[in-house]
Amino acid sequence: MNFKSLRQDIPAGLVVFLVALPLCLGIAQASGLPPFVGLLTGVIGGLIVTTLSPSKFAVSGPAAGLVTIVSGAIETLGSFSALLLALFMAGVLQCLFGLLRAGNIITLVPGSVIKGMLAAIGILLIIQQIPVALGGAGEFDLNTMAFSLPALTVAVTGLLILWLWTQPVIKRNRWLSWLPGPLLAVLAGCLATLVVAWFVPHLTGSLPRISLPAFDSLQALTAELERPDWQAWRQPAVWLVALTLAIVASLETLLSQQALNKLRPQYPEPSPDKEMRAQGIGNTLSGFLGGLPITAVIVRSSVNVSSGARSKLSILIHGVLLLICGLWFSELLNAIPLASLAAVLLYTGYKLASPGLFIAQFRQGTAQWVPFLATVGGILLFGMLVGIAVGLVTQILFSLWHSQRNALQLTRYDDHFVLRIQQNLTFMHNLRLKRLLAQVPDNSVMMVERDNAGFFDADVQTVLNEFAERAPQRGIQLAQWPQAQG
C-alpha cells in the first residue's frame, strides 16, 4: 500500500462505500436476514479479504448473485446457524482450491454456462424482490401477495432513478455522475419515509423499513452475532450447500477478477490461487462470526477503479466506513424503506438477465444459446449446482458433436476418395469414421491425408484395419493408408 496515494484513495473509498452500503443492506434483507448481517459481511470483505487479496482494486463483500442460494439453503437446512456451518466449510474448501492451484479452473468453464448462471441468478433475484417492491416480504404468490401503494411508489421511483443514472445526460455531467445511482435511490426512499411520517402517519405501517440494532456496548454487539451450528455437519444437505457455495462464490470471484483486469490491468496479474485462499479465509471468518458469503464483486470493483483508486487503501477505507456506519448510525439507516433496497436489487437482477444478453447468445448460434438456456433452465428448475452441471454437459455434447463433424471429412474426385483427418482421433470418433467409410463404393481408390493427426487410439486403428482387410474383396485400392501403431 502506498500512503502517497491518499488524495486519490480517500474519495474513491467514499464512493465505493456509498455504493456498497445499500447493496450490503439489501442483499441481507433479500436473503431473509437482519441488515446488520450484510454490514458485517461488507466489513469482513472490505478489511480482512482486502488485506489478504493479491488484487489492488477488487472489492469483496456480499454478492447479489448468492442471495437465492442463501435464502434457499436456510429453508432447506432449517436454520441460519446451519447455513453458517456450510459457509465455514465452503471457506475451507476455497482455501483447499487455492492450495491445490485450482484457480485457473475458471478457464475451463464455457462462457455460455457462466452467462447462463448469471442470467438465472438475475431472474431469481427479480422474482424474489417483486413481493418486497409491492410492500410484502413473502414468496412470489399472486394469491397472498401484499400490496402497498407507498412501497410500490418508492420502488418505481428508485428504478426510475437507477435507469436515469445510466443515461448519457447524467454521465456527461461531472458532478451528477459522481453520485452513485443506488445511493440516490435509497435517499429518495428515506425522503418518502419522512413525507409519509409527517403528512400521512396512518400509512407508516404500509412502508416497511429496515431494522438495525443500536449498540451501546461491546457485549451488545457480540450478542447480535450468531454462531454456526457445529452439530449440523451430520446433515448431508450441509455438505451439498457448502460445495455449492464454494463453487459459485469461486466462479463469481474469478469472473470478477477477469473482468476487472480488462478495466484496469495489473502487472503481474493477481494470482487466482492466492485470491481463492483470501476469499476462503474471508468466508471461513464470515461463517464463524455470522455473516453472508463473500465474493469479489465487479460492480463495486469497477466503481473503485473509475473513482481513481490507486491502492488497496480505498477498499480499506470503504470497510472502515461500513463499520462506523453499522456501529454508530443505525438510527439513520433505519429510515431506509425495504422497497428502496428492492429497487436496487431488481435493477441488479435486470442487468444480470437483460434481454440484450439473451439476444447476443442467440446471435452466436446454436452451440452458444442451447447450453446457455440449458443452464438457465437447469438452475431455475433444479438449483444452482445441478443447473451448472446441466449446462456443462450440454456444452460438452455440443463440443463433441462439432469435433466429430470437423475431425473427419470425406471428399470424392470421380472414383477417387480422400479421407482427411484433421486431428488426433479417439474411440469417440468411431461412429463418424464408420459412416464415412461406408460411403466408399466398390472398385474405387481410397486415400487418407493425416497431416494434422499424430495419434489414433487402438479402437480407431481397429476400424481402419478392418476396412483395409475387406478392401481387396471389394476392389478398393488403398493409398497412404495408416498402419498399425506400435
Side-chain angles (χ1 to χ4, degrees):
M1 291 183 288
N2 185 3
F3 289 94
K4 295 181 180 179
S5 64
L6 275 175
R7 187 171 64 87
Q8 293 86 12
D9 288 329
I10 289 178
L14 177 61
V15 174
V16 175
F17 158 73
L18 295 175
V19 172
L21 177 62
L23 291 174
C24 288
L25 297 173
I27 289 167
Q29 192 70 44
S31 302
L33 298 169
F36 172 73
V37 174
L39 285 178
L40 171 65
T41 310
V43 171
I44 296 172
L47 298 180
I48 305 302
V49 177
T50 298
T51 302
L52 301 173
S53 172
S55 175
K56 295 180 181 178
F57 308 112
V59 182
S60 295
L66 295 176
V67 165
T68 54
I69 299 177
V70 170
S71 57
I74 293 175
E75 183 177 352
T76 301
L77 301 179
S79 68
F80 179 45
S81 57
L83 171 69
L84 292 178
L85 177 61
L87 178 56
F88 183 92
M89 295 162 59
V92 174
L93 285 174
Q94 284 185 294
C95 290
L96 289 176
F97 292 163
L99 292 173
L100 295 174
R101 301 185 180 279
N104 289 318
I105 196 70
I106 186 66
T107 59
L108 301 179
V109 181
S112 59
V113 174
I114 293 172
K115 292 174 183 175
M117 180 189 77
L118 296 176
I121 288 171
I123 293 171
L124 291 171
L125 201 56
I126 291 171
I127 293 173
Q128 188 182 54
Q129 290 305 301
I130 286 178
V132 182
L134 294 177
E139 296 293 328
F140 192 105
D141 188 340
L142 293 176
N143 297 320
T144 61
M145 188 180 299
F147 176 78
S148 164
L149 183 58
L152 179 60
T153 303
V154 167
V156 171
T157 302
L159 287 171
L160 287 174
I161 291 173
L162 291 167
W163 171 79
L164 180 62
W165 245 247
T166 63
Q167 302 307 302
V169 64
I170 298 295
K171 290 183 175 181
R172 285 195 297 263
N173 188 297
R174 178 183 176 185
W175 299 105
L176 289 178
S177 62
W178 185 83
L179 295 171
L183 177 67
L184 291 176
V186 168
L187 290 177
C190 293
L191 180 61
T193 299
L194 295 176
V195 170
V196 169
W198 285 342
F199 298 104
V200 280
H202 62 281
L203 293 179
T204 302
S206 62
L207 190 59
R209 295 174 291 169
I210 72 170
S211 178
L212 279 173
F215 304 114
D216 53 8
S217 66
L218 181 61
Q219 289 76 12
L221 172 61
T222 55
E224 285 293 324
L225 302 178
E226 190 162 349
R227 291 290 185 264
D229 179 6
W230 301 108
Q231 303 303 317
W233 67 271
R234 296 184 178 91
Q235 301 181 40
V238 169
W239 293 86
L240 181 59
V241 170
L243 181 61
T244 302
L245 287 173
I247 292 176
V248 177
S250 298
L251 282 175
E252 185 157 345
T253 290
L254 296 175
L255 277 173
S256 298
Q257 291 283 34
Q258 281 191 336
L260 181 60
N261 194 52
K262 294 178 181 179
L263 295 175
R264 183 72 174 272
Q266 297 181 60
Y267 301 102
E269 290 187 16
S271 166
D273 300 317
K274 290 182 180 178
E275 184 64 39
M276 294 272 277
R277 294 196 291 270
Q279 297 289 332
I281 292 172
N283 277 315
T284 301
L285 184 60
S286 186
F288 180 75
L289 293 179
L292 288 165
I294 295 172
T295 74
V297 190
I298 186 56
V299 174
R300 278 159 264 180
S301 301
S302 60
V303 168
N304 186 40
V305 169
S306 62
S307 300
R310 293 292 182 269
S311 72
K312 288 184 179 182
L313 279 173
S314 63
I315 312 173
L316 294 172
I317 290 169
H318 123 276
V320 170
L321 290 174
L322 287 176
L323 178 62
I324 293 173
C325 208
L327 291 179
W328 292 294
F329 293 95
S330 57
E331 290 187 11
L332 184 62
L333 297 180
N334 285 341
I336 300 174
L338 299 183
S340 291
L341 301 180
V344 174
L345 292 169
L346 282 169
Y347 195 73
T348 301
Y350 172 79
K351 289 193 294 184
L352 289 173
S354 67
L357 174 63
F358 285 80
I359 293 172
Q361 291 299 301
F362 275 95
R363 286 177 175 172
Q364 291 182 29
T366 307
Q368 288 296 311
W369 66 258
V370 171
F372 170 79
L373 290 183
T375 305
V376 173
I379 292 174
L380 295 179
L381 293 175
F382 307 113
M384 187 65 63
L385 208 56
V386 175
I388 292 174
V390 169
L392 282 172
V393 170
T394 306
Q395 184 66 74
I396 289 172
L397 291 176
F398 262 92
S399 298
L400 288 175
W401 182 78
H402 279 286
S403 175
Q404 296 281 340
R405 299 287 300 177
N406 298 326
L408 297 163
Q409 293 181 349
L410 183 65
T411 306
R412 179 173 184 172
Y413 303 94
D414 295 329
D415 62 343
H416 286 63
F417 290 80
V418 178
L419 178 66
R420 292 184 174 87
I421 301 176
Q422 309 287 358
Q423 64 186 54
N424 295 339
L425 303 182
T426 68
F427 70 96
M428 302 188 72
H429 296 93
N430 278 356
L431 179 61
R432 178 161 175 79
L433 177 60
K434 288 182 177 181
R435 287 177 176 174
L436 292 178
L437 293 177
Q439 297 176 21
V440 179
D442 296 345
N443 304 311
S444 58
V445 178
M446 182 68 184
M447 178 183 298
V448 172
E449 291 184 358
R450 47 172 294 185
D451 294 341
N452 297 322
F455 168 79
F456 305 148
D457 70 14
D459 294 304
V460 172
Q461 190 63 55
T462 298
V463 173
L464 294 172
N465 291 343
E466 289 174 352
F467 183 87
E469 290 174 0
R470 299 190 185 99
Q473 304 170 12
R474 299 174 55 192
I476 297 177
Q477 301 179 37
L478 302 180
Q480 301 181 18
W481 196 254
Q483 301 300 314
Q485 301 173 353

